[in-house]
Amino acid sequence: VTASPATFWCELAWLGPSHGSVSSGVALTLAGDRIASVEEGVEPSELPSDAVRLSGVTMPGLANAHSHAFHRALRGRTQAGTGSFWTWRDEMYRLASVLDPTSYEALARATFAEMALGGITCVGEFHYLHHGPGGQPYDDDAMSGAIVAAADEAGIRLTLVDTCYLHGGIGVAPNEMQLRFSDGSVDEWARRVSALPESAAVRVGAAIHSVRAVDPASMRTIAAWAAHRDAPLHAHVSEQPIENEQCLAAFGCSPVELLAGCGVISERFTAVHATHVNDHDIAVLGSASAGCCLCPTTERDLADGIGPSAALAGVGARLCLGSDSHAVIDLFEETRAVELDERLRSLRRGTHDARSLLSMATANGYSSLGWPDGGRLDVGALADFITVGLDSVRLADINGDEALSALVFVATGADVRHVVVGGDVVVRDHAHVSVDVAAELRSSIRALRA
Ligand SMILES: [Zn+2]
């Protein structure tokens, strides 16, 4: 990561959710990790001599609001053949059993750097692999430290969504593998998480793994911790029908109702997946203005189903996006999937327009991760932005008027040419400035398979 000049000139720019079109000749001046000024209609001749010219479309950086970095090592191994979410989970457990702080950091660093190459400037790592074999704590919470170091080295902003995971199922003790995910008690979880340091580029959030893994009394404690810290709070919610059936059998209600009864659902809350939520659940999430993080490429891969994005957005839930299992890391693909999956289900086009889809991928994701001043190119906002080149075979014919819909329906992560995070250039001309991403993915993943 290298220091950057303070002025960037954007040939074209989408400045964020309050803009319905792309502007031309935008000069961004930075002060530290913030945007100090935004001027439209600036000619290149008016620029300071050290200004950096960005050709293509510049836009706010993408937020990946739901990641499990270590799942990246499963790509290509679990997609073939039959099987289900539950057989995939067995594969994931086998992988989790061999990771230690060193191998976890190497894998996460390469994975976060892959994200950066694709224009992801902020990641929410839903972190539950925090203990050693048998549930032993590491000195200095080394697995959490590995994630923080990995994001720093990869140059991307991090919310460490530290996850409480106490039970192997409702009323079931954790199995040998799941012990690595458990702090033993919610009080131990709170003690450990309260000690995690934050910085200008790192926030700490809280997560309830799911209604399977956390009991109602512990949910209340976690919600109170998040409220006290003003921290984001996430949970996996209704990804699979069987979770709803188990919750109904044990508690007589849906997962959303159970979480709501424990004080979990508020504006700071994000329901991850929300694939199999009923009309009442949707109303509860909407009236709280809660976030809902859809992970369409993972939900496809695991045969989870299609989440009710139109209904959720219609009642005021704030949709955002995650690459979750990293079967694919391409936030553009997640973004268009929200609309295209809705078309397949509803037989209707245009439920979500380009501006609202791009807002999900940017400002909504930043807000879900506790960075309300990110995801827009405004004075005072975080200086996190990306430039999508218009020189690839996919986009070579696209002009400014078409750029917004092309970003959603055509662009891929491979079209991202430059990435700036907190004012620092992280990707220049499609290359990460400090990580050989393909080589590090290969070496870190092969080491785990050996
Ligand atoms: Zn997940």
Side-chain angles (χ1 to χ4, degrees):
V1 179
T2 53
S4 307
T7 302
F8 291 83
W9 180 81
C10 316
E11 180 188 21
L12 296 167
W14 178 64
L15 300 175
S18 56
H19 297 261
S21 62
V22 164
S23 309
S24 324
V26 175
L28 300 175
T29 312
L30 310 190
D33 66 353
R34 301 272 161 176
I35 296 171
S37 72
V38 181
E39 256 190 283
E40 300 180 41
V42 176
E43 295 294 329
S45 59
E46 302 169 53
L47 295 169
S49 60
D50 64 348
V52 176
R53 296 183 187 201
L54 303 173
S55 55
V57 189
T58 297
M59 61 176 282
L62 304 168
N64 189 357
H66 189 67
S67 159
H68 307 281
F70 75 93
H71 294 186
R72 175 63 182 81
L74 296 169
R75 185 183 296 176
R77 304 180 87 186
T78 59
Q79 273 79 32
T82 57
S84 66
F85 172 90
W86 307 100
T87 56
W88 167 85
R89 195 177 72 159
D90 291 339
E91 284 269 343
M92 184 269 282
Y93 282 1
R94 269 191 289 279
L95 169 65
S97 69
V98 302
L99 284 159
D100 61 23
T102 305
S103 57
Y104 193 38
E105 181 176 333
L107 174 57
R109 167 184 151 108
T111 303
F112 292 154
E114 180 184 353
M115 291 182 194
L117 281 181
I120 292 164
T121 50
C122 182
V123 63
E125 176 66 18
F126 198 101
H127 170 58
Y128 55 84
L129 188 57
H130 32 56
H131 281 65
Q136 284 303 304
Y138 283 100
D139 290 345
D140 299 324
D141 200 358
M143 293 295 265
S144 307
I147 289 293
V148 173
D152 178 56
E153 291 156 6
I156 71 175
R157 193 175 299 285
L158 170 71
T159 297
L160 186 67
V161 185
D162 199 299
T163 304
C164 187
Y165 191 129
L166 301 173
H167 310 295
I170 298 172
V172 178
N175 66 27
E176 167 113 25
M177 189 49 246
Q178 291 162 334
L179 281 174
R180 287 202 70 174
F181 311 153
S182 176
D183 287 273
S185 72
V186 72
D187 293 332
E188 271 305 301
W189 170 85
R191 190 197 54 72
R192 183 177 58 76
V193 177
S194 297
L196 289 169
E198 297 191 310
S199 70
V202 178
R203 280 211 68 172
V204 175
I208 292 162
H209 178 275
S210 59
V211 299
R212 301 192 305 276
V214 178
D215 56 275
S218 300
M219 289 178 193
R220 288 181 188 281
T221 303
I222 297 163
W225 183 93
H228 177 69
R229 290 272 300 239
D230 193 22
L233 172 59
H234 288 207
H236 289 130
V237 176
S238 296
E239 179 176 7
Q240 288 274 326
I242 196 168
E243 176 186 316
N244 291 0
E245 290 158 23
Q246 291 173 349
C247 190
L248 186 66
F251 302 109
C253 64
S254 71
V256 167
E257 284 179 289
L258 183 66
L259 292 163
C262 293
V264 170
I265 296 184
S266 73
E267 231 175 286
R268 81 177 64 260
F269 178 68
T270 296
V272 179
H273 301 300
T275 310
H276 299 282
V277 286
N278 63 35
D279 290 348
H280 177 71
D281 297 336
I282 291 168
V284 168
L285 292 165
S287 63
S289 299
C292 286
C293 183
L294 309 181
C295 306
T297 65
T298 295
E299 290 151 8
R300 283 174 192 167
D301 184 39
L302 297 178
D304 287 340
I306 302 172
S309 65
L312 286 164
V315 295
R318 291 169 297 118
L319 303 186
C320 58
L321 301 165
S323 65
D324 189 6
S325 69
H326 312 316
V328 173
I329 295 177
D330 188 339
L331 255 282
F332 292 101
E333 178 61 28
E334 307 291 346
T335 305
R336 65 179 145 263
V338 175
E339 165 62 16
L340 296 179
D341 289 354
E342 188 63 31
R343 290 182 187 184
L344 287 175
R345 184 190 22 214
S346 67
L347 311 183
R348 211 176 49 229
R349 307 178 82 210
T351 298
H352 304 284
D353 65 18
R355 171 168 54 169
S356 57
L357 291 162
L358 289 173
S359 302
M360 294 174 199
T362 55
N364 291 10
Y366 268 79
S367 164
S368 164
L369 294 174
W371 304 95
D373 45 359
R376 58 179 62 82
L377 303 182
D378 274 346
V379 174
L382 295 168
D384 294 4
F385 52 90
I386 66 176
T387 304
V388 177
L390 295 179
D391 50 357
S392 72
V393 289
R394 289 172 291 280
L395 295 164
D397 59 315
I398 296 299
N399 66 37
D401 291 339
E402 302 155 344
L404 210 57
S405 55
L407 285 175
V408 172
F409 293 108
V410 185
T412 74
D415 294 312
V416 173
R417 182 189 273 171
H418 308 295
V419 176
V420 173
V421 180
D424 291 323
V425 175
V426 176
V427 172
R428 183 183 288 121
D429 281 323
H430 302 283
H432 197 286
V433 297
S434 58
V435 179
D436 183 339
V437 183
E440 292 204 13
L441 284 166
R442 197 179 304 121
S443 62
S444 64
I445 292 171
R446 284 192 182 162
L448 296 170
R449 294 180 180 182

